[in-house]
Amino acid sequence: MKGFGAFYKKEIMELFRSYRGMILGGLTLIFGIMSPLIAKLTPWLMEQFSDSLKEQGIEVGKVTVSAKDAWGQFDKNFTMLLIVVLILFSGSYVSEYAKGTLIPLFTKGLGRTAALFAKLSLQLLAWTVCVAGSFGITWGYTAYYWDNSTVQNLPMILLCFWLTGVFFLTLMALFSSFCNSTIQVLLGTGGVYFLLTLLGMAESLQDVLPTKLLGCASMLKGETEPGDFLTAILVAGVASLVFTVLTVVITKRRKL
């Protein structure tokens, strides 16, 4: 992979020059703080609206929250974080092809595989930092307000969250290897998610589909165990590797 270092430096500069790095950093901080904060404010908010709800015949009792509520909110925020990350990186490949900015570099002997892995590795690193950062901030604030020891399987939940992003980032890279626009990449990625969701309606397939990882927060309520996600983790990991290999093969044959 001749030229990986040069391409990687180029991607780092582009990440911050386009303000995507600042956006991701801000979102990591916001989502990390929001999860325990929303849970903490829920009783106060319910108290403020109790009178208007009582007028509509809805009686609101005393609302108590715990660390599980904070992590449940983190689960909801995670989906938004993943969507934003995918949107921010969706045009990373196709914009280079459209502008022809890679051609001068390739003519100097730098390899296509190096360019591909520089982009993908930086995206995966950015995703890892986002997930770990927001997770760490949520953990810290939740420990301050409540007690994280009452919540089980947090490492497993973190793994499921992270691997979900890896699956969709590598899938998006695969579509980017043969699509010509950002819209096509997003539609292709979204189409696969929709298809997996439909397949997940079949009970016999639910435990093997990567989309099962999106429901990992059910471990907070004791509805599932870590072992219930092992097959989906294996499938998502293997699929990510297959997507990466296919992306390399197609990228090498793509006309610039």
Side-chain angles (χ1 to χ4, degrees):
M1 293 195 298
K2 185 178 180 180
F4 176 83
F7 280 120
Y8 199 78
K9 291 179 182 178
K10 170 183 173 296
E11 291 303 316
I12 293 176
M13 293 178 59
E14 183 63 26
L15 179 67
F16 291 98
R17 186 182 300 158
S18 62
Y19 299 104
R20 283 181 295 182
M22 296 177 60
I23 293 173
L24 291 175
L27 290 175
T28 298
L29 181 63
I30 291 172
F31 286 149
I33 295 174
M34 277 177 56
S35 301
L37 182 61
I38 292 176
K40 186 67 176 178
L41 292 177
T42 297
W44 179 80
L45 291 173
M46 295 303 295
E47 183 180 345
Q48 299 302 309
F49 289 102
S50 60
D51 292 337
S52 59
L53 291 173
K54 186 178 295 185
E55 294 176 358
Q56 301 177 24
I58 302 175
E59 190 71 26
V60 179
K62 184 179 180 180
V63 179
T64 58
V65 294
S66 65
K68 290 184 179 180
D69 297 291
W71 287 108
Q73 187 62 46
F74 179 85
D75 173 52
K76 298 175 183 178
N77 293 340
F78 163 78
T79 304
M80 292 188 290
L81 178 62
L82 176 59
I83 291 174
V84 172
V85 169
L86 292 176
I87 292 175
L88 286 177
F89 287 124
S90 59
S92 177
Y93 299 89
V94 294
S95 62
E96 297 271 21
Y97 296 135
K99 296 176 183 178
T101 53
L102 292 176
I103 296 178
L105 299 176
F106 292 154
T107 55
K108 293 181 180 180
L110 300 181
R112 296 191 184 192
T113 304
L116 168 64
F117 277 105
K119 286 182 177 294
L120 184 57
S121 60
L122 184 63
Q123 291 177 11
L124 293 178
L125 176 61
W127 170 245
T128 301
V129 171
C130 285
V131 174
S134 59
F135 192 93
I137 294 171
T138 298
W139 191 94
Y141 272 92
T142 303
Y144 176 78
Y145 289 126
W146 300 286
D147 183 6
N148 280 314
S149 64
T150 61
V151 184
Q152 299 179 347
N153 303 314
L154 284 180
M156 186 65 170
I157 291 173
L158 176 61
L159 173 62
C160 291
F161 281 148
W162 176 78
L163 189 55
T164 301
V166 172
F167 174 82
F168 282 106
L169 281 172
T170 54
L171 174 63
M172 192 168 67
L174 175 59
F175 278 104
S176 298
S177 66
F178 58 85
C179 290
N180 296 315
S181 69
T182 302
I183 296 298
Q184 291 176 352
V185 172
L186 288 174
L187 287 176
T189 305
V192 171
Y193 168 75
F194 181 70
L195 176 61
L196 292 176
T197 302
L198 290 179
L199 292 175
M201 298 175 67
E203 189 173 349
S204 59
L205 296 176
Q206 289 178 355
D207 291 338
V208 302
L209 296 175
T211 46
K212 180 179 176 62
L213 300 180
L214 291 170
C216 63
S218 58
M219 286 187 281
L220 295 173
K221 304 175 183 178
E223 298 174 352
T224 56
E225 297 293 334
D228 298 331
F229 295 89
L230 293 180
T231 302
I233 288 174
L234 178 61
V235 172
V238 172
S240 298
L241 290 175
V242 172
F243 293 157
T244 303
V245 172
L246 290 175
T247 303
V248 171
V249 173
I250 297 174
T251 299
K252 286 183 175 180
R253 299 180 178 179
R254 177 167 181 157
K255 293 182 179 180
L256 298 177

